[in-house]
Amino acid sequence: MDVSDNGYGFTSTDLGRNHNLYAASLSGNLASNPTETMTDDSDEKSTGCLRWKLWATEVSDIHGVKHTSGDGSRLRRFLWTLFVLASFGVLVYQCTQAIQNFIEHHHITKLDVTFKELMPFPTVTICNFNKYRRSAVTPSDMVHVGEALGLVDEERNLLYPELFSEEFIYKYKRLNYDMELKKQFNFTEFTLRTSNQKKDTIIE
């Protein structure tokens, strides 16, 4: 079928042999005449399909897109369309996850666990959570540090009498607070005396 003049201003060609050239010429002519309107909806749809087919088969290098508008069967084009859309959806999802992880500023901490049979002392330090031993605290100590340790209230009363023996409570109540406060209190000596001792912590 030869066409000598179709009203669009391009040279005649064999549409059966060179369909792509026809689509390209038609697309270029429509772009050069933007004021021209087409009243037939089918012509507009066919023009859009021709443009999409030309772009998919000749311009785009996206993998699989050209198969959506190839010369195969409708089922083949439909399946390829599903594959392309699914791939695009996975791409969008992965990009979204990557951006979200970047914004959250995740940190990765790497720990290497090693086992040794021998370690030079004092690589391991043994500490007791209780800094002072209750059994080493005297009633006189309670006058000076009892309130700081949370064992005596502002009225000089024992907050937890159940922690102490009856003998300790008896001696504490018979103390002369004013006289005890006048005595010089050595906090370093108190710490060394009441802290956990090495002989009680290390067995061997």
Side-chain angles (χ1 to χ4, degrees), residues 8-9 25-36 51:
Y8 289 99
S25 301
L26 179 61
S27 177
N29 182 264
L30 290 175
S32 62
N33 296 277
T35 57
E36 182 179 354
R51 288 181 176 178

Side-chain angles (χ1 to χ4, degrees), residues 167-181:
E167 182 182 359
F168 182 93
I169 297 175
Y170 176 78
K171 291 182 178 180
Y172 176 75
K173 290 182 177 181
R174 291 180 61 87
L175 282 176
N176 188 331
Y177 242 86
D178 296 333
M179 291 295 296
E180 291 293 333
L181 289 175

Side-chain angles (χ1 to χ4, degrees), residues 62-114:
I62 301 177
H63 183 71
V65 173
K66 66 179 181 178
H67 297 294
T68 62
S69 300
D71 297 330
S73 63
R74 290 185 177 180
L75 178 60
R76 183 175 183 273
R77 295 197 302 269
F78 175 74
L79 293 177
W80 271 106
T81 302
L82 289 181
F83 294 152
V84 171
L85 293 178
S87 301
F88 181 75
V90 172
L91 173 64
V92 173
Y93 173 77
Q94 292 181 345
C95 291
T96 304
Q97 291 294 110
I99 295 175
Q100 183 177 358
N101 291 336
F102 176 78
I103 295 176
E104 292 177 356
H105 301 289
H106 291 174
H107 294 78
I108 299 177
T109 303
K110 182 180 180 181
L111 299 178
D112 295 328
V113 180
T114 58

